[in-house]
Amino acid sequence: MQTITTTEALATFCAAAAKRPYVTVDTEFLRERTYYAKLCLVQLAWQDEDGHDEVLVDPLAEGLSLEPLYELFRDEGVVKVFHAARQDLEIFWVDAQLIPSPLFDTQVAAMVCGFGDQAGYETLVRKICKAGVDKSSRFTDWSRRPLTDAQKTYAVGDVTYLRDIYEYLSDRLRSTGRQKWVNEEMAVLNDPATYQTDPATAWERVKTRTNSGRFLSIVRELARFRETYAQERDVPRSRVFKDDALVEVASAKPSSEADLGRMRLLLREARRGEIADGILKAVKDGLAVPNDKLPKPDLSREKLQVNPAIADMLRVLLKAKSDQEDVAQKLIASSADLDLLAAGQRDIAALKGWRNEVFGRDALLLTQGKVALAVDGQRVVTVPR
């Protein structure tokens, strides 16, 4: 098992990989102590009729540049195969403003090919490769050197089995004509916005129990400060202050460090110094926002008039279509989609693209009373009315 520690060796491997139709990729990283993931290892493998090769790339090796890998990622003639790619892609986007292309995510493909809502790597290895995955090094510290043989074996397994999984799923997609379905799903992963966190909108992820515009204004400024502080210093958000502390501060509206000292949920480090100054300024800025500029909560879901009987019928239809097409329910439509449909909403993902062909068209007819559900043996089917 080769571990690459020089730019020259990486360039040699990538030149060989560039002659192949695809390369499988995985990463090992740490992010418990940082805002951005720290890349600790890259695993690569290729396979064709002439043979195969797999390597581990050590990005922590002194003097090693990942540019040869990024050149391979830019090569449109080589498919880059990942499993559950989002976190891996975020690393490469942050490091090089680069998203590998063309991209293939075996988790998405497996959901399209009938492997269920939770198409985990271990499940695919077991069902497709008829093998097991060594889990012993899953929670290891990948930043420590030297890597043990057990770590290397575990890491390389993530790309060697991935070759067989990719070839199996590719064949399945070709035979079913569903490649375009996967291509549609890749749009989110190929969008740089997927990997960017804007401090101005960070407040939208904070769960609160009040819809007061003034309260939300303070939440918005506190979340903006926390996100900016964490990004600039590369520390986890929770190391600045957690969501429950943010909500406590927004409710209490402290105006001094003495007030912060009485906050029950604030970390000690947040009660003084830069973080304390940032908190107090955020509260002051939130209180100063004019009434006509206060953030407005999204109450559209609360105002929905969801007919529970229609929503239940849509769930039955979704299960029937999922079974019929052998596609994961979760990928076709979410529970929120079904509620929106039952409330008369139409601008939803389940009514677009391949989802509309599989489910959306009949779902609309069902809500309009133009088809009914019936039992045919062991199946639920739609019948015209």
Side-chain angles (χ1 to χ4, degrees):
M1 188 186 313
Q2 181 186 6
T3 300
I4 290 177
T5 58
T6 68
T7 306
E8 292 74 18
L10 179 58
T12 298
F13 176 85
C14 290
K19 299 175 183 177
R20 271 71 194 181
Y22 70 89
V23 59
T24 55
V25 189
D26 191 39
T27 69
E28 304 297 343
F29 55 86
L30 294 178
R31 72 182 315 162
E32 289 82 1
R33 298 184 293 272
T34 57
Y35 182 91
Y36 299 106
K38 179 181 180 181
L39 182 61
C40 298
L41 196 68
V42 182
Q43 303 97 283
L44 303 167
W46 55 259
Q47 178 173 289
D48 61 16
E49 63 277 3
D50 296 326
H52 62 85
D53 196 8
E54 52 275 330
V55 297
L56 305 178
V57 181
D58 186 356
L60 304 183
E62 185 176 356
L64 183 141
S65 168
L66 291 179
E67 185 54 33
L69 176 62
Y70 294 153
E71 280 299 311
L72 180 63
F73 282 173
R74 297 183 188 101
D75 189 335
E76 292 290 334
V78 182
V79 178
K80 272 62 73 171
V81 181
F82 292 78
H83 180 82
R86 191 188 185 287
Q87 291 191 80
D88 302 310
L89 300 180
E90 181 182 357
I91 293 173
F92 298 127
W93 175 257
V94 170
D95 186 60
Q97 299 286 285
L98 170 67
I99 299 173
S101 179
L103 177 67
F104 188 98
D105 189 324
T106 56
Q107 184 175 65
V108 173
M111 293 171 75
V112 168
C113 291
F115 284 88
D117 289 344
Q118 301 296 328
Y121 184 69
E122 293 170 34
T123 298
L124 299 183
V125 171
R126 185 175 68 254
K127 291 185 175 181
I128 295 175
C129 305
K130 311 303 181 186
V133 176
D134 176 14
K135 304 177 184 179
S136 60
S137 297
R138 172 173 294 179
F139 301 110
T140 191
D141 182 350
W142 292 100
S143 67
R144 298 188 64 178
R145 294 295 184 270
L147 295 173
T148 66
D149 288 342
Q151 286 177 305
K152 293 178 180 180
T153 300
Y154 169 88
V156 81
D158 284 344
V159 286
T160 52
Y161 290 123
L162 194 55
R163 296 179 301 205
D164 294 332
I165 292 170
Y166 168 68
E167 293 188 0
Y168 176 90
L169 293 175
S170 294
D171 290 343
R172 183 88 168 263
L173 291 171
R174 279 191 292 270
S175 66
T176 58
R178 294 181 178 180
Q179 182 61 55
K180 70 170 187 174
W181 296 13
V182 174
N183 292 342
E184 286 183 32
E185 297 309 299
M186 291 297 101
V188 174
L189 292 176
N190 283 311
D191 184 357
T194 301
Y195 314 104
Q196 298 168 347
T197 303
D198 183 358
T201 60
W203 70 280
E204 296 172 358
R205 299 192 306 273
V206 179
K207 295 181 180 179
T208 65
R209 294 184 176 180
T210 177
N211 293 321
S212 160
R214 184 60 58 192
F215 170 81
L216 291 177
S217 178
I218 299 172
V219 168
R220 179 174 64 185
E221 297 308 316
L222 287 168
R224 187 202 308 269
F225 161 69
R226 179 178 65 175
E227 204 72 27
T228 302
Y229 186 96
Q231 288 178 351
E232 291 177 349
R233 291 159 181 79
D234 195 19
V235 297
R237 296 182 193 92
S238 60
R239 288 272 297 276
V240 186
F241 46 82
K242 297 181 179 180
D243 280 3
D244 55 358
L246 186 155
V247 172
E248 180 188 31
V249 171
S251 300
K253 305 178 186 64
S255 59
S256 67
E257 284 195 14
D259 291 338
L260 292 179
R262 290 187 282 272
M263 298 285 98
R264 183 172 60 91
L265 300 175
L266 270 183
L267 297 171
R268 183 179 304 171
E269 294 80 3
R271 301 180 185 189
R272 59 181 183 274
E274 281 187 314
I275 297 179
D277 292 343
I279 290 174
L280 295 174
K281 183 178 184 303
V283 172
K284 183 178 179 180
D285 290 346
L287 290 170
V289 172
N291 289 336
D292 61 344
K293 301 293 184 183
L294 293 175
K296 294 180 174 58
D298 182 4
L299 301 177
S300 58
R301 289 298 304 277
E302 296 179 15
K303 294 178 180 178
L304 285 177
Q305 300 296 315
V306 179
N307 185 316
I310 296 177
D312 286 343
M313 292 177 68
L314 288 169
R315 286 177 173 80
V316 173
L317 177 64
L318 176 61
K319 176 66 166 59
K321 292 294 186 180
S322 171
D323 291 345
Q324 176 185 324
E325 299 291 342
D326 201 18
V327 181
Q329 291 186 55
K330 177 181 175 182
L331 195 63
I332 299 173
S334 66
S335 180
D337 282 341
L338 301 183
D339 286 343
L340 289 169
L341 261 173
Q345 301 294 307
R346 296 296 178 258
D347 185 21
I348 58 177
L351 299 181
K352 300 175 182 177
W354 68 268
R355 292 177 174 84
N356 189 53
E357 300 174 25
V358 170
F359 169 75
R361 187 180 298 115
D362 280 347
L364 275 182
L365 293 174
L366 182 64
T367 61
Q368 294 165 359
K370 295 180 179 179
V371 299
L373 299 179
V375 175
D376 178 13
Q378 297 297 313
R379 300 184 307 133
V380 172
V381 297
T382 57
V383 294
R385 289 192 64 208

